[in-house]
Amino acid sequence: MFENVISIKDFGKDDIEFILREAENMEPVASGERPSSVLTGKILGMMFYEPSTRTRLSFETAMKRLGGSVVGFADTGATSAAKGESLTDTAMMLAGYSDAIVIRHNLEGAARYISDIVDVPVINAGDGAGQHPTQTLLDLYTMKRFFGKIESLNVALVGDLKYGRTVHSLAYALAVFGVKMSFVSPPELRMPDSVIHDLEGSGVEVTETERLDDVIDDVDVLYVTRIQKERFPDPEEYSRIRGAYHIDRDMVAGRDLIVMHPLPRIDEISPEVDSLPQAMYFRQAFYGVPVRMALLKMLIRERSDSPE
Amino acid sequence: MFENVISIKDFGKDDIEFILREAENMEPVASGERPSSVLTGKILGMMFYEPSTRTRLSFETAMKRLGGSVVGFADTGATSAAKGESLTDTAMMLAGYSDAIVIRHNLEGAARYISDIVDVPVINAGDGAGQHPTQTLLDLYTMKRFFGKIESLNVALVGDLKYGRTVHSLAYALAVFGVKMSFVSPPELRMPDSVIHDLEGSGVEVTETERLDDVIDDVDVLYVTRIQKERFPDPEEYSRIRGAYHIDRDMVAGRDLIVMHPLPRIDEISPEVDSLPQAMYFRQAFYGVPVRMALLKMLIRERSDSPE
Amino acid sequence: MFENVISIKDFGKDDIEFILREAENMEPVASGERPSSVLTGKILGMMFYEPSTRTRLSFETAMKRLGGSVVGFADTGATSAAKGESLTDTAMMLAGYSDAIVIRHNLEGAARYISDIVDVPVINAGDGAGQHPTQTLLDLYTMKRFFGKIESLNVALVGDLKYGRTVHSLAYALAVFGVKMSFVSPPELRMPDSVIHDLEGSGVEVTETERLDDVIDDVDVLYVTRIQKERFPDPEEYSRIRGAYHIDRDMVAGRDLIVMHPLPRIDEISPEVDSLPQAMYFRQAFYGVPVRMALLKMLIRERSDSPE
C-alpha cells in the first residue's frame, strides 16, 4: 500500500481511513490485553538525533507489543555520529540490522533523504521544522475514536500556530476531511499565510481570532499547543499571552468538547482539568501505540510477505 | 494480594513469606536454565530519575526472563523531563505504554504519589531517603535461602546506619521476623533513635556497639554498608573510621557467618574475601532477579487475569 | 568447542572455518527472513566502557534475532562505574544477570581478565590497543562470502597500519590462511616491525609500499582504514597524506577487487564509490550480525546443553 511514512501529505483520505481502522483493531494488543506475534523476529531501527520521550517510547512499545525488538540510539552521545560519521553511513549500517527505520532529526528533509538511500521502510518521527506524520495520524485517530467520524467536526487550534510542525501537518490533514477550523493565537504566532492559503484553496472553512471566547461555544475539539518562552523578547509580553491562552477548569467543565495536546505540556492546561471527561491528552498519548502498531505491521509484514 | 510495592512496612510476615517462596520457584528461570512465557507481550515501564545499575538491570533481567519487555529511561537526559515535564505527566504517559511501572526518584514519597495517579501497579525502586522495598526483600531472601529460615538469626548491621535507607528498611523487616539485631557503627553514624525506639516497641532485642569485635563471634550475618566520605568534614577522621569497619579475610575466614552488602562497595570489604564461602554479596545481587520476578509476575499477571 | 572469544590468536584455522560456516547458516535469520527461537529466554550482558555503534548494535541485533534479550550499559554515565565500582564487581553483577558477557574497554587485557573471574562466556568487543576478534571474524567472513575461499587471496591493508588493532588482528588471521599481503601506508604509520616479523615467521609473503598504485593491479581486497588527524602534529602533512590514500571512483571502477572498511569512515573513501559493485563495506557491516549470531549460539546454547 505504501513503502514509507514521510509526510502526511503523501496520504489520501482513503489511506488515512485505512490506517485508522487498522489502529482500532490493534487496541487490545496495544493495551496489553492480547499478546501478538505478528512481528516476532523483526527489528525496528531507531535513529533519534533529537531527544524524544513520547514518540520514541510509543514506537518501542508498539514494536514490542507486536513481538518485535528494537535497536538503535536515543541520542547521539554514545554513537559514531559523535565521531563524525555521516547520516548516510549511519543509516546504511542500521538498515543492515533492521526491518524498518524510525528517524527523528533536526534537519527538514532528513527522513525523505534516508528513505531514498536504504532498502528498508523509513518512518519520519519528526524532521526539524518539517513533518511529524505519525503525530498527525494519532491526533486524527483520537478524534475519530471519540466522535466516530472526523468529517463534521469543528476544530480549534490554539497557541503557537506559527512554529509548530504539529499544527501545520494536522491542519492539512483535517482539510482532507473537510473539517471546519479556527486558528486561535496571538498576532505574533499566527498560522502562516501560506498554510491558510493552501487550506482555503482546498475548499475548507477557516477562521482566525485572538480570543478563545470567540470560538469556545462552537468547537468540538480544543487542540492546545505550547507557547515557548523563547519566542518572546519581553518576559512580560510572554506572561500576558501565556495567561490569555491558558486552559482552566471553568473554561472546559460542562462543555461538549474535548481538549487535546501533543504533550509535553508546561502550563498551557491547568492540572485540575486532568480529571475532567473532556481531558483527552493522556488518552491521545496512548493512542500513539495502536496507530504506530498499525503502521509497523503494514510496513514490515507486508514487505516480508511479498516475493523477494 | 497487593497492588503496588511502595514500602516494606506495607507487607506483613505472611506477605513476605509468600513472596520469598514464589522467588524460590523462579530461580531456574532467573538463572536462564528454564525459559518462561509468563509475561509474554507485557511491558514494564522504567522511570529512573537517578542512576542505578544493579536495581535497574535486575528488574530488566527479571522482566525479560519472564518473556516480557521493557521501555522507559535510565536517566533523564534524553527525555521530556529535561524539557520541564512534570512527574505526573511523565507517569501518565508511561502508564499508557506499560503494564507496570518501576520508579526511582530522588524525592521521598514519589513512588506512592505516582501509585495514586496511574492505573497500573507501581514498584518503588528507591525514593530518596525513603524506601527501597525490593532491596529489603532480596536481602531477606538471601538469608532465607542460606539459613533456611530467618526467625532465629542474629544479624549485625555495620557501617553507616544513620543515612542508609537500605538498613532502616531491613531493620524494620527483620523485626517482623523477631530477629536479634546488633548495630555496629561510629557514633556519628548511629542508627536513629526513632528507628531503635520503633524496633524495641515491636519487642525485638537490639544492641548497639562501636566495635565489630564485640559481636562477630555471635552473628550469623554481617550486613555491611558503605561509609561515604562526604559525611566527614575531616579526612583523617574518615580514614580512621573506614579502617575500623573494614572487613578483611582474617576477620571472616573460618567463621560460621555470611557477609552481605547491597553493593556497590568501594573498599568496605577486601577483595580477598570474595573467594571465601562466607562472601554472599554477589549471590545476593543475583537474588534480586528471582525476587523481582516474583513481584512482577504477581502484580502484572494477577491483574490481567482478573476481570476488567 | 571454545568457552570465550578473547583474541583471534586463540583460534586455529579449523575453528575459524567452522565459525564462518555457522555464520553462513545464520544469514536468513540475520536478515529477518526466518525467525529463530534458539536463544529464547537467554540474556546477553553488555559492558561498553567506550562508545560503539556498529559493534554494539550488531551484537544486540544478533541476540534479538535469535530470540534472546540484552541488558547492560552503552556508556558508563548512568552506572555504578561512575560511583567508583570496580570492573570486577560490575562484571560479577552482570554475570549474575546474563548467560554471556560482551565487553568493550579502554584497557588492553580487560576482556581476558573478566573471563577469568566470571562463570559465563566472555566476548571481547575491543580492549584498547589490544584485540577485537569479532571484527576480524566478520572481515574474514566478508572475503569468504564474496570469493568462496580465503586462501588464495591477495589483500592490501591501507592507511594507518601502526595504531589500528583491527589491521593487526586481521593480518595475523590472514596469515593463518596463507594469504599474500601488501601493507600500504605512509612511513609514519607503517605496520610495526614486530607484526611483520611474526607474519614472515609464519611463512606468508608480505610486501610494504607507500603507494597504492604499486599494488592496485594485483589485489583482490583493498582493506582501507581511517587515518586519524591526531596522529599528525602538522595539519598540512595530514592533508597531504590523507589525499594520497583517498579511494575514489576512478581508482576502483572496473577493477576486479572489493573495497572493505571497518567503519566508521570519515573521508577515506569517496561516497561516489558506494554505488559501485566493488563497495563491500556496508555489506561487511551487516555480516557482523550472522558472525556474532554464530558465536552467541555456540557459546550460550552449547553451554546450557551441557550437564551442569
Side-chain angles (χ1 to χ4, degrees):
Chain A
M1 186 176 170
F2 46 86
E3 282 172 33
N4 301 290
V5 179
I6 306 299
S7 165
I8 195 69
K9 293 183 183 175
D10 302 339
F11 293 82
K13 191 175 166 184
D14 287 353
D15 297 326
I16 293 174
E17 286 183 328
F18 179 75
I19 295 166
L20 303 190
R21 272 196 308 276
E22 286 290 301
E24 196 155 351
N25 296 332
M26 287 294 174
E27 268 199 46
V29 182
S31 66
E33 243 174 79
R34 204 175 68 201
S36 165
S37 54
V38 161
L39 297 182
T40 297
K42 301 295 184 184
I43 290 182
L44 179 63
M46 309 276 273
M47 299 173 72
F48 275 72
Y49 287 88
E50 285 192 326
S52 159
T53 312
R54 232 161 306 276
T55 304
R56 180 169 60 83
L57 295 186
S58 68
F59 267 114
E60 282 198 28
T61 301
M63 192 67 189
K64 290 171 177 176
R65 290 279 199 207
L66 289 169
S69 300
V70 173
V71 303
F73 48 90
D75 58 63
T76 54
T79 68
S80 296
K83 295 185 200 167
E85 186 174 54
S86 73
L87 180 60
T88 305
D89 283 16
T90 303
M92 285 299 289
M93 165 198 66
L94 201 59
Y97 301 161
S98 54
D99 301 293
I101 282 178
V102 175
I103 179 170
R104 167 165 291 194
H105 201 276
N106 48 312
L107 289 181
E108 197 172 338
R112 194 171 307 274
Y113 172 75
I114 289 308
S115 73
D116 290 341
I117 291 173
V118 301
D119 62 357
V120 299
V122 173
I123 303 176
N124 184 2
D127 58 337
Q131 293 280 326
H132 189 3
T134 63
Q135 176 70 45
T136 304
L137 290 166
L138 77 88
D139 290 341
L140 296 172
Y141 183 72
T142 305
M143 298 179 198
K144 173 87 185 315
R145 197 68 176 66
F146 188 83
F147 293 104
K149 61 180 191 154
I150 298 171
E151 283 80 356
S152 51
L153 296 178
N154 189 334
V155 176
L157 305 181
V158 181
D160 175 359
L161 306 184
K162 184 172 180 186
Y163 297 102
R165 64 183 169 207
T166 300
V167 284
H168 301 170
S169 295
L170 180 57
Y172 282 108
L174 289 172
V176 170
F177 287 84
V179 164
K180 198 176 155 191
M181 284 175 261
S182 328
F183 300 146
V184 187
S185 72
E188 300 92 322
L189 298 174
R190 281 187 57 228
M191 183 67 85
D193 284 333
S194 61
V195 176
I196 292 182
H197 183 262
D198 287 351
L199 296 173
E200 287 176 341
S202 72
V204 295
E205 191 187 332
V206 302
T207 56
E208 282 193 277
T209 175
E210 287 181 41
R211 292 161 32 89
L212 262 170
D213 285 354
D214 292 346
V215 303
I216 197 151
D217 289 330
D218 301 321
V219 298
D220 302 300
V221 177
L222 273 187
Y223 192 101
V224 184
T225 63
R226 184 143 53 106
I227 295 180
Q228 293 183 287
K229 202 173 180 174
E230 306 85 85
R231 307 296 185 203
F232 295 87
D234 177 354
E236 279 184 35
E237 176 70 359
Y238 168 67
S239 276
R240 193 188 61 76
I241 281 179
R242 198 180 51 172
Y245 298 93
H246 180 79
I247 310 293
D248 63 19
R249 195 176 173 97
D250 289 345
M251 209 179 287
V252 168
R255 288 194 195 269
D256 194 19
L257 57 76
I258 62 171
V259 181
M260 294 176 63
H261 191 296
L263 303 181
R265 74 174 151 177
I266 303 303
D267 56 7
E268 305 82 52
I269 303 172
S270 171
E272 61 189 16
V273 175
D274 297 3
S275 56
L276 295 178
Q278 288 86 350
M280 202 55 53
Y281 28 93
F282 294 129
R283 193 81 195 149
Q284 177 187 2
F286 162 69
Y287 286 148
V289 181
V291 167
R292 286 165 178 134
M293 288 172 92
L295 295 171
L296 291 171
K297 185 187 158 199
M298 280 184 246
L299 291 169
I300 299 176
R301 202 171 65 168
E302 286 179 7
R303 184 168 171 266
S304 61
D305 287 350
S306 61
E308 294 287 297
Chain B
M1 189 177 169
F2 45 87
E3 282 172 33
N4 301 290
V5 179
I6 306 300
S7 165
I8 195 69
K9 293 183 183 175
D10 302 339
F11 294 82
K13 190 174 167 184
D14 287 354
D15 298 326
I16 293 173
E17 286 183 328
F18 180 75
I19 295 165
L20 302 190
R21 271 196 309 276
E22 286 291 301
E24 195 154 354
N25 295 332
M26 288 293 174
E27 269 200 45
V29 182
S31 67
E33 244 175 78
R34 203 176 69 201
S36 164
S37 55
V38 161
L39 297 182
T40 296
K42 303 293 185 186
I43 291 182
L44 180 63
M46 308 276 273
M47 301 173 72
F48 275 72
Y49 288 87
E50 284 192 327
S52 159
T53 312
R54 231 161 307 275
T55 303
R56 181 168 61 83
L57 296 185
S58 68
F59 267 113
E60 284 200 28
T61 301
M63 192 67 189
K64 290 171 177 176
R65 291 278 200 208
L66 288 169
S69 299
V70 173
V71 303
F73 48 90
D75 58 66
T76 54
T79 68
S80 297
K83 296 185 200 167
E85 185 175 54
S86 72
L87 180 60
T88 305
D89 282 17
T90 304
M92 284 299 289
M93 166 197 66
L94 201 59
Y97 301 161
S98 54
D99 301 294
I101 282 179
V102 175
I103 179 170
R104 168 166 291 194
H105 200 278
N106 48 311
L107 288 182
E108 197 172 337
R112 191 169 312 269
Y113 172 74
I114 289 309
S115 73
D116 289 340
I117 290 174
V118 302
D119 61 357
V120 299
V122 173
I123 303 176
N124 184 2
D127 57 338
Q131 292 280 326
H132 190 2
T134 62
Q135 176 71 47
T136 304
L137 289 167
L138 78 88
D139 290 343
L140 295 172
Y141 184 71
T142 305
M143 297 178 198
K144 173 87 185 316
R145 196 70 175 67
F146 188 83
F147 292 104
K149 60 180 192 151
I150 299 171
E151 283 79 356
S152 51
L153 296 178
N154 189 335
V155 176
L157 305 181
V158 181
D160 176 357
L161 306 185
K162 183 173 182 187
Y163 297 102
R165 63 182 170 209
T166 299
V167 283
H168 301 172
S169 294
L170 180 57
Y172 281 109
L174 289 172
V176 170
F177 287 83
V179 164
K180 198 177 157 191
M181 284 175 261
S182 330
F183 301 145
V184 186
S185 72
E188 300 92 323
L189 298 174
R190 280 186 59 227
M191 183 67 85
D193 283 333
S194 62
V195 176
I196 292 182
H197 182 261
D198 286 352
L199 296 173
E200 287 176 343
S202 71
V204 296
E205 190 186 336
V206 301
T207 56
E208 282 193 275
T209 174
E210 288 180 43
R211 293 162 31 89
L212 262 169
D213 286 353
D214 290 347
V215 302
I216 198 149
D217 288 330
D218 301 319
V219 298
D220 302 299
V221 178
L222 272 186
Y223 193 100
V224 183
T225 64
R226 186 145 51 106
I227 295 180
Q228 293 183 288
K229 201 174 180 174
E230 306 86 84
R231 307 296 185 207
F232 296 87
D234 177 355
E236 277 185 38
E237 174 70 359
Y238 168 66
S239 276
R240 193 188 60 78
I241 281 179
R242 197 179 53 173
Y245 298 93
H246 181 78
I247 310 293
D248 63 20
R249 196 177 174 95
D250 288 345
M251 208 180 287
V252 168
R255 288 193 196 271
D256 194 19
L257 56 78
I258 62 171
V259 182
M260 294 176 61
H261 191 298
L263 303 181
R265 72 173 154 179
I266 302 303
D267 55 7
E268 303 83 51
I269 304 172
S270 171
E272 62 188 16
V273 175
D274 296 3
S275 56
L276 295 177
Q278 287 86 349
M280 202 54 54
Y281 29 94
F282 294 130
R283 194 79 194 149
Q284 178 188 1
F286 162 70
Y287 286 148
V289 181
V291 167
R292 286 165 179 134
M293 289 171 90
L295 295 171
L296 291 171
K297 185 187 157 200
M298 279 184 247
L299 290 170
I300 298 176
R301 204 173 64 169
E302 286 179 7
R303 185 168 169 266
S304 60
D305 286 350
S306 61
E308 294 287 298
Chain C
M1 189 176 169
F2 46 87
E3 282 174 32
N4 301 290
V5 179
I6 306 299
S7 165
I8 196 69
K9 293 182 184 176
D10 302 338
F11 293 82
K13 190 175 167 183
D14 287 352
D15 297 326
I16 293 174
E17 286 183 327
F18 179 75
I19 295 166
L20 302 189
R21 271 196 310 275
E22 286 290 301
E24 196 154 354
N25 296 333
M26 288 293 174
E27 269 201 44
V29 182
S31 67
E33 245 174 78
R34 204 175 68 201
S36 165
S37 54
V38 161
L39 297 184
T40 297
K42 302 294 186 186
I43 291 182
L44 179 63
M46 308 276 273
M47 300 173 71
F48 274 72
Y49 287 88
E50 285 192 326
S52 158
T53 312
R54 232 161 307 276
T55 303
R56 181 169 59 85
L57 295 186
S58 69
F59 267 114
E60 283 198 27
T61 301
M63 192 66 189
K64 291 172 177 177
R65 291 280 200 208
L66 288 169
S69 300
V70 173
V71 303
F73 49 89
D75 57 63
T76 53
T79 67
S80 296
K83 297 187 201 167
E85 186 175 55
S86 73
L87 180 60
T88 304
D89 282 16
T90 303
M92 284 299 288
M93 166 198 64
L94 201 58
Y97 301 161
S98 54
D99 301 294
I101 281 179
V102 175
I103 179 170
R104 167 164 293 194
H105 201 278
N106 49 311
L107 288 182
E108 197 171 337
R112 191 169 312 270
Y113 173 73
I114 289 308
S115 73
D116 289 340
I117 290 174
V118 301
D119 61 357
V120 299
V122 172
I123 303 175
N124 184 2
D127 58 338
Q131 292 281 326
H132 189 4
T134 63
Q135 176 71 46
T136 304
L137 289 167
L138 77 88
D139 291 342
L140 295 172
Y141 183 73
T142 305
M143 298 179 197
K144 173 88 184 315
R145 196 68 176 66
F146 189 83
F147 293 104
K149 60 179 193 153
I150 298 172
E151 282 79 356
S152 52
L153 296 178
N154 188 334
V155 176
L157 304 181
V158 181
D160 175 359
L161 307 184
K162 184 172 179 186
Y163 297 101
R165 64 182 167 207
T166 300
V167 284
H168 300 171
S169 294
L170 181 56
Y172 282 109
L174 289 171
V176 171
F177 287 83
V179 164
K180 198 178 156 190
M181 284 175 263
S182 329
F183 300 145
V184 185
S185 72
E188 301 91 323
L189 297 174
R190 281 186 59 227
M191 185 66 86
D193 284 332
S194 61
V195 177
I196 292 182
H197 182 261
D198 286 351
L199 297 172
E200 287 175 343
S202 71
V204 296
E205 190 185 335
V206 302
T207 57
E208 281 193 276
T209 174
E210 287 180 42
R211 293 162 30 89
L212 260 170
D213 285 354
D214 292 348
V215 302
I216 197 151
D217 289 330
D218 301 319
V219 298
D220 302 298
V221 178
L222 272 186
Y223 193 100
V224 184
T225 63
R226 186 145 52 105
I227 295 180
Q228 292 182 288
K229 201 173 180 174
E230 306 87 85
R231 307 295 185 206
F232 295 89
D234 177 356
E236 278 185 38
E237 174 70 0
Y238 168 66
S239 276
R240 192 188 62 75
I241 280 179
R242 197 179 54 171
Y245 298 93
H246 180 79
I247 310 292
D248 63 20
R249 195 176 175 96
D250 289 347
M251 209 180 287
V252 168
R255 288 194 195 270
D256 195 19
L257 56 77
I258 61 172
V259 181
M260 294 176 62
H261 191 297
L263 303 178
R265 72 174 154 178
I266 302 303
D267 56 6
E268 304 82 51
I269 304 172
S270 172
E272 62 188 17
V273 175
D274 295 3
S275 57
L276 295 178
Q278 288 85 351
M280 202 54 54
Y281 28 94
F282 294 129
R283 193 83 194 144
Q284 178 186 2
F286 162 71
Y287 286 148
V289 181
V291 168
R292 287 166 177 133
M293 289 171 91
L295 295 171
L296 291 171
K297 186 187 156 197
M298 279 185 247
L299 290 170
I300 298 176
R301 202 172 64 168
E302 285 178 10
R303 186 170 169 266
S304 60
D305 286 350
S306 61
E308 294 288 297

